[in-house]
Amino acid sequence: MGNCKSSSRALLGKAHVDPDSEWRMQDFGKTHVPDLEWRINDFSSLLETGAKSATSDTFHCSGYNWHLEVSPAKKKRHLEVKPMHKKAGSSTPYVALRLVAFRPSLVPGHMVHAVFELSIYNHSRRMYCGCKASYNFGFKNIFSKEHCLIPLQELLKSSAFLVDDSCVFGVEILKIDVSSPEKKAVVVQKKPTTVQNLFVQKKGFVKGTYTWNMNNFLELDLDHFVRSPTFEVGGHKWYVRMYPRGDKYSTDCLSLYLYLDVSDELHLKSKKVVVMTLSILDQKNGKHLTGTSGLLVFTSGRSWGWANFLGLKKLKDPSEGYVVGSSCVVKADLTIVGSSNDC
């Protein structure tokens, strides 16, 4: 299951909690063929990173690009499990999935209503099981609701869902309707499944820090973006891009992103899996504003970050300490935890 030569069709099904706290999976059947089949290798290592989530690389379906995100529970010492996601009304830690629209593929003013199935592969039954869901995706509303599939403890002790410390997740998009002035109709065209593998290192994470001191912040062209000098972490070139008055995705906020430089010779089949922290330093009070990601896949020219990182009102407030005189300081912390490839 999930190797590059012969990929089975991993389909996700529905999991829910009954009043007696038992759980069941609903099989999707042999006809379920996902648009994305995402194999997470070394799943226990993913938990050990403490990351709040892991996000797949993009996959394409019917004119739009998407990501699949999994939110596991956090594994601590002595196999104690601290939940990062709990089902409403339950204290049981769950593995949750959600569909994420790739914002640049959306159009302002358009609402994309998607019907989809989120799934996990059952190796014993040789089929996917999971839940059917729907969501209205918009230019500033790209994350679907999180859907709990399976209790984390059940996944960790299961020989049906976890094989060789790897599990396979999937998503199939069944229907897309677009509400727009043009009333655009979208036909979901089936094509071969996109197969991705995520590998998490057991040890030897590569870490790096870069501090970007802007001493002429107020003299910069604040209506556009500014970028830091290029810096190197893990043998690869990175830079930070800031939109001091926000990009087209923001709402009265400064936008901040980390880029893997397009000149970097990182091969498309060997993408880096990174946890990043971006900070704007409070130079007066030491109360720095920080955003930390889950596991993200980077390839040359790719960026991740936050459109609404810091409200413009707080940025301009001298008492907050984010801009002192004409000085603004941004810090980037990167940890390369693994790699990703497509089959």
Side-chain angles (χ1 to χ4, degrees), residues 57-58 195-197 236 260 262 264-272 297-302 339-343:
D57 198 7
T58 55
V195 180
Q196 298 177 9
N197 285 281
H236 299 285
L260 178 61
V262 70
D264 194 278
E265 297 181 356
L266 181 61
H267 197 280
L268 289 176
K269 291 186 178 179
S270 181
K271 304 163 189 176
K272 293 301 176 186
V297 179
F298 277 87
T299 189
S300 297
R302 184 59 193 273
S339 62
S340 174
N341 64 35
D342 299 345
C343 290

Side-chain angles (χ1 to χ4, degrees), residues 67-278:
H67 299 276
L68 183 60
E69 181 186 280
V70 59
S71 300
K74 185 184 293 183
K75 188 176 178 183
K76 303 193 83 175
R77 293 180 184 176
H78 310 301
L79 298 181
E80 177 189 355
V81 174
K82 177 182 178 181
M84 294 179 67
H85 189 92
K86 290 184 180 181
K87 192 174 178 70
S90 171
S91 60
T92 304
Y94 269 76
V95 173
L97 290 180
R98 66 177 172 180
L99 182 63
V100 183
F102 183 56
R103 187 178 275 124
S105 69
L106 300 176
V107 178
H110 289 201
M111 185 68 70
V112 179
H113 178 75
V115 180
F116 50 93
E117 290 177 334
L118 301 168
S119 56
I120 183 170
Y121 189 72
N122 187 318
H123 290 80
S124 298
R125 297 184 182 181
R126 295 185 149 187
M127 65 176 64
Y128 287 89
C129 51
C131 67
K132 185 175 181 179
S134 64
Y135 194 74
N136 290 321
F137 294 92
F139 200 56
K140 296 184 179 181
N141 194 28
I142 62 172
F143 297 95
S144 79
K145 178 183 176 183
E146 288 182 308
H147 294 270
C148 297
L149 292 188
I150 182 172
L152 177 71
Q153 291 286 24
E154 297 297 335
L155 176 63
L156 293 177
K157 69 183 183 182
S158 169
S159 60
F161 300 108
L162 192 66
V163 176
D164 296 328
D165 201 21
S166 299
C167 51
V168 179
F169 300 101
V171 57
E172 181 178 8
I173 298 177
L174 305 175
K175 184 180 179 182
I176 295 176
D177 294 315
V178 180
S179 299
S180 68
E182 304 84 14
K183 295 184 178 179
K184 178 182 176 184
V186 176
V187 177
V188 176
Q189 298 177 338
K190 294 307 293 181
K191 63 172 190 171
T193 300
T194 298
V195 180
Q196 298 177 9
N197 285 281
L198 185 146
F199 301 91
V200 183
Q201 298 168 200
K202 290 181 168 49
K203 58 182 180 179
F205 295 161
V206 178
K207 297 185 178 183
T209 296
Y210 176 76
T211 301
W212 179 20
N213 293 286
M214 287 173 279
N215 296 319
N216 61 337
F217 182 75
L218 296 180
E219 287 76 50
L220 298 171
D221 185 355
L222 301 183
D223 288 328
H224 297 90
F225 69 82
V226 290
R227 61 166 283 178
S228 74
T230 301
F231 58 94
E232 187 172 305
V233 174
H236 299 285
K237 301 173 184 176
W238 311 82
Y239 66 90
V240 175
R241 179 182 285 187
M242 173 197 284
Y243 294 79
R245 293 182 179 170
D247 62 9
K248 61 183 179 181
Y249 309 118
S250 69
T251 305
D252 297 323
C253 289
L254 172 148
S255 305
L256 200 62
Y257 300 93
L258 175 70
Y259 278 76
L260 178 61
D261 196 283
V262 70
S263 68
D264 194 278
E265 297 181 356
L266 181 61
H267 197 280
L268 289 176
K269 291 186 178 179
S270 181
K271 304 163 189 176
K272 293 301 176 186
V273 178
V274 173
V275 176
M276 68 174 184
T277 296
L278 298 181

Side-chain angles (χ1 to χ4, degrees), residues 287-302:
K287 298 179 180 179
H288 311 315
L289 184 66
T290 296
T292 299
S293 73
L295 272 62
L296 303 170
V297 179
F298 277 87
T299 189
S300 297
R302 184 59 193 273

